[in-house]
Amino acid sequence: MAEEHRCEAPEGHRLCANNCGFFGSPATLNLCSKCYRDLRLKEEQASSAKSAVEKSLSSAAASASASASSCSSTAPLSPPALTLPEAADEISAPGAVAAAPSSTQPGRCSTCRKRVGLTGFPCRCGIMFCGVHRYPERHGCTFDFKKPGKEAISKANPVVKADKLHKI
């Protein structure tokens, strides 16, 4: 009876190398699709950070060589030492939202202090509100809604001005 109900994974299916409980494949380095995607994303971020640092070092070295050639001193200049930021710092930095300096707890409406949880509405001013206070006129929003629209229109439609005609 134990032979009929095998507890092992069928041949060709292997568990994920990260032990997440899903099945991996040799094409994805024995990782499941989610772990493989996370691995690729992490590698991509590391390579982009490395190229950015190399680019900044090359520009710093170019500016240092230009300033060294203009100076009459013969002392060699060394490029400034730069360190790579931690991967956790890179991930948290773009996700940081410029929230207003208020003492409200996350997950609560800023106006009535009602618990909103996942049903809260973040305003463009950066504060979370409940369903009643989500509209800008209900919570006294200070965000200028016309400014981003005007900037987008001015970028999309540059001013075209023809040359003046000279009278003969």
Side-chain angles (χ1 to χ4, degrees), residues 89-113:
D89 293 340
E90 285 183 3
I91 294 171
S92 64
V97 177
S102 62
S103 61
T104 60
Q105 297 174 346
R108 290 191 176 267
C109 175
S110 178
T111 305
C112 64
R113 310 273 301 140

Side-chain angles (χ1 to χ4, degrees), residues 126-165:
I127 306 172
M128 184 74 67
F129 295 101
C130 65
V132 174
H133 298 109
R134 68 182 176 188
Y135 301 110
E137 54 274 358
R138 296 288 290 167
H139 68 263
C141 189
T142 58
F143 185 78
D144 185 14
F145 289 92
K146 291 182 181 179
K147 185 177 179 183
K150 287 179 181 178
E151 290 174 357
I153 290 172
S154 65
K155 284 182 182 178
N157 301 320
V159 175
V160 179
K161 194 172 185 180
D163 293 334
K164 291 185 176 182
L165 296 175

Side-chain angles (χ1 to χ4, degrees), residues 38 41-42 45 85-96:
D38 293 342
L41 182 65
K42 192 181 292 185
Q45 286 178 347
E86 294 291 323
D89 293 340
E90 285 183 3
I91 294 171
S92 64

Side-chain angles (χ1 to χ4, degrees), residues 57-71 77-80:
L57 282 176
S58 66
S59 66
S63 66
S65 64
S67 65
S69 64
S70 66
C71 293
L77 295 175
S78 62

Side-chain angles (χ1 to χ4, degrees), residues 49-65 78-84:
K50 185 177 179 182
S51 65
V53 168
E54 289 174 354
K55 186 176 180 181
S56 66
L57 282 176
S58 66
S59 66
S63 66
S65 64
S78 62
L82 296 177
T83 58
L84 289 174

